[in-house]
């Protein structure tokens, strides 16, 4: 009911009487009063005036499921949204929900993570309300061999959402970091549960630096935030709705496969292409020029002898970027 009241107040952009709300939702006036009180507790500012009714004047600053839903127009991603005050890791929390049968499209966000995980066993840290930590559960009908596209498609979606919403010129550092200039703005960690020939679920965890004004010494030279890049605070809930829309567009509309037009779109935004990269094969470190990205998202690297090597895992260092 809170969602419906919000939609009504948001779409009207004027006072709506309690009577009108209770009639259009088929609930009592007391129920309307109670729902408005709960919305105020969540940070919505709703004025009330005698003989006029309620007026929505402000959305909450902090992450809030009702505010995200109010801006959201997706069919699958975000069909269930949970915002936690604090959690160890949104990926781990969502894994537990997935094991209990949570549906595809479920999204978990947290204002703070106490044990946020990065790729390759690293830690992802952020102070409360500085960043957005978000995880998305999907259940694509693919085999484990076909799943490699989820990561680059998610990177593409995040990059587009940032450029559109924040008016930034962010790029993708293969496979899925999002960078501005030479500094990292977003990290993505995709995990999956699968049998030999069938995916049970994937969880794509996205960490975005939003309101940071500084970073710990060890990463200060290679990390940035939306606030540092734009000088502006963003409406986090509206941004999350935009991001979920781009994720749906890139993942669901492309049937979870990086192919066709999506490869061209990805390459156009990929900062790694055209740069010297170094990667590990067995115990050898190999260098070459990143030239393209294949269907499925592997990086194609031209070596000095003219052969093209395909890189799909492990760590790649890109010259000129962290
Ligand atoms: C990386 O760049 O190494 C990946 C960072 C991924 C961080 C996000 S924050 C939300 C989700 N929950 C986690 O524990 N990790 C991911």
């Amino acid at each position: 009911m809170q969602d419906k009241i919000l939609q009504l107040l948001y779409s009207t952009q004027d006072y709506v009487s309690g009577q009108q709300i209770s009639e259009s939702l088929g609930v009592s006036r007391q129920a309307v009063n109670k729902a408005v009180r709960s919305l105020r507790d969540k940070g919505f500012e709703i004025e009330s005036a005698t003989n006029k009714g309620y007026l929505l004047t402000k959305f909450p600053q902090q992450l809030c499921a009702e505010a995200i839903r109010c801006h959201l127009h997706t069919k699958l991603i975000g069909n269930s949204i949970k915002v936690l005050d604090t959690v160890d890791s949104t990926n781990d929390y969502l894994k537990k929900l997935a094991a209990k049968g949570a549906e595809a499209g479920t999204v978990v966000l947290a204002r703070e993570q106490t044990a946020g995980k990065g790729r390759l066993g690293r830690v992802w840290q952020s102070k409360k309300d500085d960043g957005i930590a978000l995880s998305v559960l999907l259940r694509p009908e693919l085999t484990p061999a076909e799943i490699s596209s989820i990561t680059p498609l998610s990177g593409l979606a995040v990059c587009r959402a940032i450029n559109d919403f924040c008016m930034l010129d962010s790029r993708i550092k293969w496979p899925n970091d999002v960078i501005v200039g030479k500094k990292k703005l977003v990290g993505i960690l995709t995990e999956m549960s699968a049998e030999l020939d069938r995916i049970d679920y994937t969880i794509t965890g996205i960490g975005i630096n939003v309101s940071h004004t500084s970073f710990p010494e060890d990463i200060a030279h290679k990390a940035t935030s939306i606030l540092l890049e734009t000088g502006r605070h963003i409406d986090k809930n509206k941004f999350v709705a935009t991001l979920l829309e781009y994720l749906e567009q890139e993942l669901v509309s492309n049937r979870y496969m990086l192919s066709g037009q999506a490869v061209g779109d990805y390459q156009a935004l990929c900062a790694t292409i055209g740069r010297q990269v170094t990667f590990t094969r067995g115990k050898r470190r190999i260098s070459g020029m990143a030239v393209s990205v294949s269907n499925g998202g592997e990086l194609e690297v031209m070596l000095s002898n003219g052969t093209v090597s395909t890189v799909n895992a492990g760590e790649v260092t890109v010259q000129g970027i962290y």
Side-chain angles (χ1 to χ4, degrees):
M1 174 168 51
Q2 289 176 35
D3 282 343
K4 288 192 176 139
I5 294 179
L6 263 183
Q7 279 300 348
L8 199 59
L9 294 177
Y10 183 55
S11 59
T12 310
Q13 308 239 316
D14 197 355
Y15 281 96
V16 185
S17 73
Q19 182 68 26
Q20 202 180 325
I21 299 175
S22 75
E23 276 169 16
S24 67
L25 302 188
V27 296
S28 68
R29 290 288 296 274
Q30 286 85 336
V32 172
N33 288 343
K34 195 167 161 224
V36 168
R37 273 200 305 276
S38 303
L39 287 168
R40 285 184 178 137
D41 289 344
K42 288 175 183 158
F44 290 91
E45 290 182 17
I46 301 172
E47 280 176 17
S48 52
T50 331
N51 299 328
K52 283 165 110 182
Y54 299 106
L55 176 70
L56 174 63
T57 53
K58 210 166 167 194
F59 277 75
Q61 303 280 304
Q62 66 189 48
L63 288 171
C64 166
E66 286 77 7
I68 296 168
R69 278 197 290 268
C70 194
H71 299 299
L72 191 64
H73 309 283
T74 51
K75 290 205 177 83
L76 178 78
I77 296 186
N79 54 17
S80 164
I81 299 179
K82 195 169 182 60
V83 174
L84 304 163
D85 251 359
T86 180
V87 71
D88 48 2
S89 149
T90 52
N91 270 25
D92 288 349
Y93 185 93
L94 191 49
K95 263 185 218 166
K96 289 177 205 142
L97 294 188
K100 286 190 210 145
E103 54 180 349
T106 300
V107 173
V108 171
L109 298 110
R111 293 175 58 199
E112 177 189 52
Q113 294 187 117
T114 53
K117 301 185 301 181
R119 287 177 64 229
L120 309 169
R122 295 182 188 129
V123 173
W124 181 264
Q125 17 170 321
S126 187
K127 286 202 300 255
K128 195 162 196 167
D129 290 327
D130 262 2
I132 294 173
L134 170 159
S135 298
V136 181
L137 172 67
L138 296 169
R139 297 187 184 275
E141 285 180 11
L142 298 175
T143 65
E146 291 169 322
I147 210 68
S148 64
S149 294
I150 299 265
T151 288
L153 283 173
S154 306
L156 177 58
V158 177
C159 187
R160 292 197 140 163
I162 285 172
N163 291 352
D164 177 4
F165 196 87
C166 310
M167 315 284 256
L168 278 169
D169 182 22
S170 74
R171 301 273 156 146
I172 305 161
K173 176 172 176 271
W174 183 88
N176 58 359
D177 281 0
V178 175
I179 58 173
V180 177
K182 294 177 180 173
K183 293 184 170 181
K184 178 160 166 173
L185 189 67
V186 181
I188 304 179
L189 172 68
T190 301
E191 301 184 86
M192 73 168 170
S193 163
E195 289 162 25
L196 265 182
D197 57 349
R198 194 186 68 89
I199 300 280
D200 181 11
Y201 62 79
T202 64
I203 289 176
T204 299
I206 306 173
I208 305 162
N209 299 331
V210 179
S211 314
H212 303 60
T213 48
S214 64
F215 288 91
E217 211 177 295
D218 54 327
I219 57 167
H221 62 288
K222 56 178 182 181
T224 190
S225 72
I226 293 175
L227 177 60
L228 286 172
E229 293 300 325
T230 62
R232 289 190 302 272
H233 286 279
I234 56 162
D235 179 334
K236 287 194 191 125
N237 297 306
K238 223 175 190 177
F239 171 72
V240 169
T242 303
L243 173 57
L244 299 184
E245 279 163 17
Y246 274 102
L247 283 168
E248 179 143 315
Q249 191 178 306
E250 298 303 340
L251 287 160
V252 184
S253 311
N254 285 313
R255 296 168 190 270
Y256 310 99
M257 299 295 281
L258 186 80
S259 58
Q261 177 65 38
V263 178
D265 293 348
Y266 182 92
Q267 294 193 137
L269 285 171
C270 182
T272 310
I273 292 172
R275 287 182 187 266
Q276 279 295 125
V277 299
T278 305
F279 60 94
T280 314
R281 180 126 308 161
K283 285 191 176 144
R284 282 195 310 143
R285 297 284 290 159
I286 303 175
S287 294
M289 170 74 77
V291 283
S292 50
V293 169
S294 68
N295 281 356
E298 292 164 323
L299 188 66
E300 295 172 325
V301 180
M302 185 174 288
L303 310 183
S304 52
N305 63 8
T307 59
V308 174
S309 210
T310 304
V311 185
N312 55 20
E315 184 69 304
V316 168
T317 351
V318 188
Q319 218 173 67
I321 311 180
Y322 55 87

